[in-house]
Amino acid sequence: MTKARQATLAILRDAQEPLCAAAVLERIGVCCDQVTVYRSLHFLEENGLADSFILHCAEHGTERYYTAVDSLKDGYSGHHHWFHCEMCHRFLDLGDCQLHTLVAGYEAAHQITVKSHTLYFTGICADCQIQGH
Amino acid sequence: MTKARQATLAILRDAQEPLCAAAVLERIGVCCDQVTVYRSLHFLEENGLADSFILHCAEHGTERYYTAVDSLKDGYSGHHHWFHCEMCHRFLDLGDCQLHTLVAGYEAAHQITVKSHTLYFTGICADCQIQGH
DNA sequence: GCATGAATTGCAAATCATTTGCATATTTTT
DNA sequence: AAAAATATGCAAATGATTTGCAATTCATGC
Ligand SMILES: [Mn+2]
Ligand SMILES: [Mn+2]
Ligand SMILES: [Zn+2]
Ligand SMILES: [Zn+2]
């Protein structure tokens, strides 16, 4: 793990929400170049240290968001799913993946091997609901 | 519904799998311009006639894939989820959305309103599994 | 049918997140 | 330390998608 990769991973771990490359860049300062951040994010994901999903929202366009993968504990997959508020654009952590049974069912029913899945939710968060608008 | 929009919707309905804009263009012929296809796809999605998700695969890069939404029947959400084979790049229809209970749980637990979700799976399909490689 | 304002389309050009080429710098191996 | 392998920085390219704008088509009332 080079300095750039460690710094990138640390930023993902500290963040309370998925970050796009631009957000990582904001936080990484002069440590390294933009391209290195992209390459570090790839590296982290390829090595199982980060997860990503691509989300399109009207305000921010299409961007890939990264999270650090939790260290694996009993019964936990290590990867979370997220809710994105269309109003305040914050992410809410919905906790560890709950799709194990569903995935197993699909694998059995279709004789496929599911290696990964992407799941996220969008809507209105509790705060924005109260504020009405 | 203009001619271009109808043609676009017909193509999505005929397809046995999610199509990216480029795939729709291939099939739509001289009927209309590329930009009109993009705009038609937006229109269809905004009006609840199509669904989309963004998928990144090494071979084809990042693209948005569209499907026609089923007409709603009892107990069916109208939108399906899909499995994408990393090897042959085909999509497999996993059927109607099974996340209702999960979504309701999240809404109750976090006082959020979930308006939509994105879910798809990737891995190796039955055919590619047999062929080994 | 025809006038009129609204919505849609085509074409060219712009956007913008992400990727790539390549020379330099850093790390690892022998 | 030299050689080989890997990572980085910078500039330029990529490519799906979007936008501006003028021309066309559509809708609606007369
Ligand atoms: Mn957003
Ligand atoms: Mn593919
Ligand atoms: Zn919110
Ligand atoms: Zn396959």
Side-chain angles (χ1 to χ4, degrees):
Chain A
M1 287 271 287
T2 66
K3 196 172 68 171
R5 288 167 179 179
Q6 280 178 327
T8 304
L9 181 55
I11 286 169
L12 294 184
R13 285 196 169 132
D14 288 350
Q16 299 299 309
E17 54 178 2
L19 301 179
C20 62
V24 173
L25 269 167
E26 274 177 15
R27 295 160 204 225
I28 212 164
V30 294
C31 157
C32 63
D33 187 76
Q34 185 181 35
V35 178
T36 303
V37 167
Y38 277 104
R39 289 197 270 230
S40 295
L41 290 169
H42 288 168
F43 172 87
L44 294 173
E45 186 164 26
E46 237 170 44
N47 290 77
L49 298 165
D51 256 351
S52 80
F53 58 91
I54 299 168
L55 181 144
H56 178 94
C57 96
E59 186 150 334
H60 302 97
T62 301
E63 285 178 310
R64 190 160 187 162
Y65 289 83
Y66 292 83
T67 57
V69 171
D70 283 356
S71 53
L72 275 75
K73 295 165 198 159
D74 287 339
Y76 290 93
S77 67
H79 91 272
H80 288 209
H81 293 302
W82 299 84
F83 170 83
H84 181 69
C85 178
E86 296 171 353
M87 216 151 244
C88 65
H89 301 277
R90 285 181 297 186
F91 284 94
L92 176 66
D93 189 344
L94 297 176
D96 201 69
C97 176
Q98 307 278 133
L99 297 190
H100 304 91
T101 309
L102 185 68
V103 169
Y106 286 140
E107 289 187 312
H110 298 95
Q111 291 159 268
I112 55 181
T113 303
V114 173
K115 293 169 87 174
S116 78
H117 63 261
T118 295
L119 170 63
Y120 59 79
F121 303 83
T122 64
I124 311 294
C125 76
D127 290 352
C128 292
Q129 216 127 265
I130 293 166
Q131 298 166 15
H133 176 83
Chain B
M1 285 272 287
T2 66
K3 198 171 69 173
R5 288 167 179 176
Q6 280 178 328
T8 305
L9 182 55
I11 287 168
L12 293 184
R13 286 197 169 131
D14 289 349
Q16 300 300 309
E17 55 178 1
L19 300 180
C20 62
V24 173
L25 270 167
E26 272 177 16
R27 295 159 206 226
I28 212 163
V30 293
C31 156
C32 64
D33 187 77
Q34 185 181 36
V35 178
T36 301
V37 167
Y38 276 105
R39 291 197 270 230
S40 294
L41 290 169
H42 287 166
F43 171 88
L44 294 173
E45 186 164 27
E46 239 170 42
N47 290 79
L49 297 165
D51 257 351
S52 81
F53 58 91
I54 300 168
L55 181 145
H56 178 95
C57 97
E59 186 151 334
H60 302 97
T62 302
E63 283 177 311
R64 190 160 187 163
Y65 289 84
Y66 292 84
T67 57
V69 170
D70 282 356
S71 53
L72 275 76
K73 295 166 199 159
D74 287 339
Y76 289 93
S77 66
H79 90 271
H80 288 207
H81 292 303
W82 298 85
F83 171 83
H84 181 69
C85 178
E86 296 170 354
M87 215 150 246
C88 64
H89 300 278
R90 286 180 297 186
F91 283 94
L92 175 66
D93 190 344
L94 298 177
D96 201 68
C97 176
Q98 306 278 135
L99 297 189
H100 304 93
T101 309
L102 186 67
V103 169
Y106 285 141
E107 288 186 314
H110 298 95
Q111 292 160 268
I112 55 181
T113 303
V114 172
K115 292 168 86 174
S116 78
H117 63 261
T118 296
L119 171 63
Y120 59 79
F121 304 83
T122 65
I124 310 295
C125 77
D127 290 352
C128 292
Q129 216 126 263
I130 293 165
Q131 297 165 17
H133 177 78

